[in-house]
Amino acid sequence: MIYEEELYGKSNSELIMELGNRFKEYRLACRMTQKEVSEKAGISLFTVKTFESGRAYNITMGSFIAMLRAISFLEEIEKLLPELPPTPEMIELMNKNKPKRIRNGK
């Protein structure tokens, strides 16, 4: 697990390398080969190999998502950038516009 202090101390390339290492662990846990992932994701075997080896510093978001989908871990993308919770101002506005009661229409 990368802690916040370590996280900001790493370069973008180092973070992508870390993701590649983690992806490899997930792939192996799914008992899939790099070739199976590449075929299922619709990307080149070279892309999978370079990502896992830490040499793919410019992998596209589309390729990354396709690889997660190929190993059936697409839900992990939610952890990458989760939705923000509503601010107190938004909650107040929602409650202000909420009807106190609803009448049956005739």
Side-chain angles (χ1 to χ4, degrees), residues 52-66:
E52 287 188 356
S53 69
R55 293 177 290 148
Y57 303 121
N58 290 320
I59 187 166
T60 67
M61 184 64 80
S63 293
F64 182 62
I65 291 170

Side-chain angles (χ1 to χ4, degrees), residues 42-79:
I43 59 175
S44 71
L45 178 58
F46 177 79
T47 299
V48 178
K49 285 183 176 188
T50 56
F51 180 57
E52 287 188 356
S53 69
R55 293 177 290 148
Y57 303 121
N58 290 320
I59 187 166
T60 67
M61 184 64 80
S63 293
F64 182 62
I65 291 170
M67 289 191 303
L68 287 177
R69 188 183 303 275
I71 63 169
S72 300
F73 275 92
L74 188 58
E75 66 278 358
E76 295 301 312
I77 203 75
E78 179 65 28
K79 293 176 184 174

Side-chain angles (χ1 to χ4, degrees), residues 19-30 52 71:
L19 283 173
N21 289 332
R22 288 184 189 180
F23 180 80
K24 182 177 182 178
E25 291 174 14
Y26 275 73
R27 177 183 61 78
L28 293 173
C30 293
E52 287 188 356
I71 63 169

Side-chain angles (χ1 to χ4, degrees), residues 10-25:
K10 291 189 177 199
S11 69
N12 291 349
S13 297
E14 290 171 320
L15 292 171
I16 293 169
M17 190 182 311
E18 179 80 26
L19 283 173
N21 289 332
R22 288 184 189 180
F23 180 80
K24 182 177 182 178
E25 291 174 14

